């Protein structure tokens, strides 16, 4: 059945009438729009003319939706840092202002995601559903909004929690030569936050894609991605992305901190960040200073790390703990960037290549490492053992160096060295295996009580594992006092030491084997040569002297 021509005509007439009314109601509005042009382009930067109203750090848009950030604002032209693939851009292309500064998406939707500093997902799990954005450059919290660092941040690593403690809101630098385990310490610390209601942000700056993939795989395998955000730039990304990465990651972390959460952020590593900034500055003709870094290289890291703090309870009581990582060259911790960051942060964890080569992992050099704040936040149970442990370990390291020259050692010195070797063995820890607080305290108390001294060195790993497992038998009320007590009571200490002693009972064969070796029939045989050698004692003494020399 064909439609009625008159009804069709009425439909068309009604449609045209509405279109005419909409057209008559529309009044065009003129809006000024600043458009500039690219005058020159280089690796990661562009010079742009024709944007007289642009502000510092403002975003500008290039063809192909490539974003840039105004970095140099001069009278005739601006220097722009490019934040994306720029190979298709050329001189003469049009540039538009956006009227906003660089920002990043924040919120709960980011947990478990891998993103770049612009907020674009890199994990293939779809677009982000974040409804809020924050500028990447924000002022640090004022002094009056900050609270003292009094709550510990447990890393799960015995050597750090006992000797170089970190508090929530602290900035602790991790530095050392390449391939000494810096990232492993940071990843272990993230893994140890499982179940502690701490949000973690891992910022990879200019890292190899394979290293980032390994870190993501480890975090996913250990169930840490559910409370972790990864902000990633790879080695082949433009230097502008590497420069803004830590600021974007800090804004993401600050959102959680301002919501009253405890946050841990890892910058891996700021050496690449400083080099990216140096590259951009030199390309933009900023005057170079020491080691060709520009004069404000200290400021770019100071304004970043000053944002780490603990807020007062009235402001939610959230905290932001920063673990920046720095790579040294040939153990030179007095180079420009390491000394800058040592002066900005609240302590440093130094990783020694010589300890790493000896298999002492984590390769923390206790003598060169320090925590200037965390001791005030350290649990009382750790403070009860940390002082004696650090002193005994320092004595051991000095005496061990002295003993290498073949000097005669008295019984007391030999005992100090043997005790120090047990301390070093106990401070070793496998990767991705953080230890709980009760297990750490049981092992440390057993060390200070010298229970390990009779255990052969080759059995130290098994003996320590036995104490680790026996720590599960520590009474619940004693474990509760680890968190609350101001001081570890003698009764609690005795309870823990007794549990450790029982666990180590099967690892002390040496004292039992000594009586067996005493009734040696060979002892008489040994005395015969001495009797024969009586007429010529000088010949016997000479070899002894040469061996000790």
């Amino acid at each position: 059945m064909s439609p009625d021509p008159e009804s069709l005509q009425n439909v068309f007439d009604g449609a045209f009438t509405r279109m005419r009314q909409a057209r008559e109601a529309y009044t065009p509005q003129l809006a000024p729009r600043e458009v500039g042009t690219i005058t020159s382009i280089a690796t990661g930067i562009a010079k742009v003319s024709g944007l007289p109203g642009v502000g510092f750090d403002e975003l500008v848009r290039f063809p192909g939706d490539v974003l840039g950030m105004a970095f140099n604002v001069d009278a005739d032209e601006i220097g722009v840092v490019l934040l994306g693939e720029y190979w298709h851009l050329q001189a003469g292309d049009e540039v538009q202002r956006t009227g906003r500064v660089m920002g990043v998406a924040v919120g709960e939707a980011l947990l478990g995601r891998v993103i770049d500093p612009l907020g674009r997902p890199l994990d293939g799990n779809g677009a982000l559903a974040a409804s809020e954005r924050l500028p990447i450059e924000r002022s640090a919290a004022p002094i009056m909004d900050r609270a003292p660092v009094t709550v510990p941040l447990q890393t799960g690593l015995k050597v750090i929690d006992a000797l170089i403690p970190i508090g929530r809101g602290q900035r602790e630098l991790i530095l050392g030569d390449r391939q000494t385990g810096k990232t492993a310490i940071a990843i272990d610390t993230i893994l140890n936050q499982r179940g502690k209601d701490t949000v973690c942000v891992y910022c990879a700056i200019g890292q190899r894609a394979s290293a980032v993939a390994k870190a993501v795989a480890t975090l996913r395998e250990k169930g840490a991605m559910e409370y972790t955000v990864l902000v990633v730039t790879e080695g082949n990304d433009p230097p502008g992305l590497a420069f803004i990465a830590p600021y974007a990651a800090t804004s993401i972390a600050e959102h959680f901190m301002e919501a009253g959460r405890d946050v841990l952020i890892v910058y891996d590593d700021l050496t690449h960040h400083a080099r990216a900034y140096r590259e951009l500055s030199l390309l933009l003709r900023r005057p170079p200073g020491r080691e060709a870094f520009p004069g404000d290289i200290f400021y770019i890291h100071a304004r970043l790390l000053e944002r780490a703090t603990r807020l007062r309870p009235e402001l939610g009581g959230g905290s932001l703990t920063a673990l920046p990582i720095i790579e040294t060259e040939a153990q030179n911790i007095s180079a420009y960037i390491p000394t800058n960051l040592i002066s900005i942060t609240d302590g440093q964890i130094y990783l020694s290549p010589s300890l790493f080569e000896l298999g002492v992992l984590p390769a923390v050099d206790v003598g060169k490492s320090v925590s200037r704040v965390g001791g005030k936040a350290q649990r009382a149970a750790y403070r009860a053992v940390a002082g004696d442990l650090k002193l005994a370990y320092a004595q051991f390291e000095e005496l061990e160096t002295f003993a290498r020259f073949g000097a005669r050692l008295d019984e007391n010195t030999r005992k100090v060295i043997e005790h120090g070797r047990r301390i070093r063995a106990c401070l070793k820890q496998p990767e991705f295996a953080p230890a709980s607080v009760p297990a750490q305290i049981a092992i440390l108390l057993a060390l200070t009580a010298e229970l390990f001294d009779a255990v052969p060195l080759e059995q130290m790993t098994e003996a320590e594992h036995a104490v680790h497992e026996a720590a599960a038998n520590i009474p619940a009320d004693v474990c509760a006092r680890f968190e609350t007590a101001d001081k570890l009571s003698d009764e609690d200490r005795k309870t823990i030491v007794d549990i450790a002693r029982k666990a180590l009972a099967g690892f002390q064969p040496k004292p039992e084997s000594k009586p067996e070796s005493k009734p040696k029939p060979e002892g008489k045989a040994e005395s015969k040569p001495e009797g024969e050698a009586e007429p010529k004692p000088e010949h016997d003494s000479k070899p002894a002297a040469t061996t000790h020399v």
Side-chain angles (χ1 to χ4, degrees):
M1 180 175 165
S2 60
D4 184 7
E6 290 186 8
S7 64
L8 282 176
Q9 185 65 38
N10 292 336
V11 170
F12 282 123
D13 286 346
F16 286 131
T17 301
R18 286 191 294 273
M19 289 169 64
R20 185 174 62 255
Q21 290 171 348
R23 188 194 64 202
E24 289 172 355
Y26 173 74
T27 54
Q29 293 181 345
L30 296 177
R33 188 165 64 98
E34 284 188 37
V35 177
T37 54
I38 299 176
T39 56
S40 66
I41 195 159
T43 306
I45 62 120
K47 299 285 184 68
V48 176
S49 64
L51 295 176
V54 75
F56 181 69
D57 269 0
E58 182 180 336
L59 282 182
V60 294
R61 193 180 302 278
F62 293 87
D65 272 345
V66 176
L67 292 175
M69 191 167 65
F71 214 53
N72 276 14
V73 183
D74 300 325
D76 301 325
E77 63 179 10
I78 61 169
V80 178
V81 172
L82 299 171
L83 303 175
E85 294 298 336
Y86 52 86
W87 306 113
H88 62 284
L89 301 179
Q90 53 189 355
D93 284 349
E94 187 178 276
V95 186
Q96 297 179 12
R97 284 183 63 188
T98 63
R100 60 187 177 89
V101 295
M102 179 66 209
V104 66
V106 297
E108 297 282 338
L110 271 66
L111 294 175
R113 301 301 301 270
V114 183
I115 62 172
D116 71 359
L118 300 176
R120 299 177 298 200
L122 302 175
D123 51 9
N125 291 337
L128 292 173
S131 58
E132 190 179 349
R133 295 182 71 85
L134 286 177
I136 64 167
E137 292 274 10
R138 305 180 73 212
S139 297
I143 291 174
M144 297 308 294
D145 289 350
R146 300 178 182 228
V149 175
T150 56
V151 182
L153 180 105
Q154 297 294 132
T155 65
L157 300 168
K158 297 185 290 288
V159 64
I160 295 176
D161 290 340
L163 306 179
I164 318 147
I166 301 171
R168 295 185 189 272
Q170 186 174 345
R171 302 156 299 179
E172 186 78 4
L173 180 66
I174 302 173
L175 76 162
D177 286 8
R178 64 187 302 273
Q179 298 296 318
T180 50
K182 301 183 295 297
T183 301
I185 285 180
I187 296 292
D188 274 344
T189 306
I190 292 174
L191 296 181
N192 196 52
Q193 305 315 306
R194 184 175 173 82
K196 294 182 172 63
D197 194 30
T198 300
V199 176
C200 299
V201 180
Y202 179 78
C203 179
I205 308 167
Q207 298 292 314
R208 289 175 291 117
S210 58
V212 175
K214 182 184 175 186
V216 173
T218 302
L219 294 171
R220 190 164 282 138
E221 179 190 341
K222 304 289 184 181
M225 284 300 288
E226 61 193 40
Y227 57 85
T228 305
V229 183
L230 277 87
V231 181
V232 173
T233 59
E234 298 172 5
N236 59 345
D237 285 337
L241 279 181
F243 171 67
I244 68 169
Y247 300 102
T250 307
S251 288
I252 292 170
E254 278 180 330
H255 171 78
F256 292 106
M257 177 186 72
E258 289 164 2
R261 306 278 295 273
D262 290 313
V263 190
L264 168 69
I265 186 165
V266 175
Y267 305 108
D268 190 9
D269 63 36
L270 291 184
T271 309
H272 285 103
H273 182 244
R275 288 171 183 162
Y277 184 67
R278 175 172 63 183
E279 181 180 351
L280 293 171
S281 298
L282 293 176
L283 287 166
L284 289 167
R285 303 286 182 177
R286 291 190 175 186
R290 179 177 163 189
E291 295 180 23
F293 287 105
D296 61 341
I297 188 70
F298 183 94
Y299 172 61
I300 72 161
H301 287 150
R303 75 172 189 255
L304 171 70
L305 292 168
E306 277 300 314
R307 292 163 71 178
T309 187
R310 183 162 178 247
L311 297 176
R312 289 189 296 124
E314 304 90 87
L315 298 172
S319 68
L320 177 54
T321 309
L323 292 182
I325 295 175
I326 274 290
E327 182 183 294
T328 55
E329 295 177 353
Q331 306 178 51
N332 182 18
I333 62 174
S334 60
Y336 190 29
I337 301 302
T339 49
N340 277 356
L341 279 147
I342 287 171
S343 63
I344 293 168
T345 51
D346 307 313
Q348 70 272 353
I349 298 168
Y350 177 69
L351 300 179
S352 164
S354 53
L355 287 175
F356 187 87
E357 288 159 9
L358 289 170
V360 180
L361 302 176
V364 176
D365 187 327
V366 177
K368 292 181 181 175
S369 302
V370 66
S371 176
R372 302 189 189 99
V373 178
K376 295 183 177 67
Q378 197 174 27
R379 287 185 169 91
Y382 282 101
R383 281 201 297 271
V385 297
D388 295 341
L389 202 66
K390 198 161 190 176
L391 181 62
Y393 195 58
Q395 285 178 330
F396 154 69
E397 287 186 319
E398 192 170 335
L399 287 171
E400 187 187 38
T401 306
F402 181 68
R404 286 185 189 139
F405 296 106
R408 288 180 181 272
L409 302 176
D410 59 68
E411 188 58 34
N412 188 45
T413 306
R414 196 174 288 110
K415 192 176 176 184
V416 170
I417 290 177
E418 289 301 317
H419 181 56
R421 284 177 179 152
R422 268 64 179 182
I423 295 175
R424 186 159 64 189
C426 280
L427 294 181
K428 289 183 186 178
Q429 201 164 331
E431 200 174 358
F432 311 139
S436 65
V437 171
Q440 289 192 40
I441 290 172
I443 292 167
L444 295 171
L445 275 176
L447 266 176
T448 53
E450 301 184 354
L451 300 184
F452 283 106
D453 287 13
V455 178
L457 271 176
E458 60 272 11
Q459 292 187 339
M460 277 297 297
T461 305
E462 294 87 347
E464 185 195 347
H465 187 64
V467 176
H468 192 293
E469 289 184 339
N473 301 325
I474 296 176
D477 59 327
V478 176
C479 290
R481 283 196 288 276
F482 291 159
E483 307 282 341
T484 57
D486 294 332
K487 188 178 178 184
L488 193 65
S489 69
D490 293 339
E491 188 65 31
D492 290 344
R493 183 192 286 257
K494 185 176 182 301
T495 303
I496 299 167
V497 169
D498 286 345
I499 290 171
R501 186 177 280 113
K502 286 177 187 172
L504 293 172
F507 292 94
Q508 303 185 3
K510 287 284 182 183
E512 296 173 9
S513 62
K514 278 181 184 175
E516 294 173 11
S517 62
K518 277 182 183 176
K520 275 186 182 178
E522 297 168 11
K524 294 176 183 176
E526 284 171 13
S527 63
K528 284 179 185 175
E530 286 176 15
E532 291 170 13
E534 278 175 14
K536 36 182 179 179
E538 294 174 10
H539 295 292
D540 286 346
S541 61
K542 279 180 185 174
T546 52
T547 52
H548 288 295
V549 171

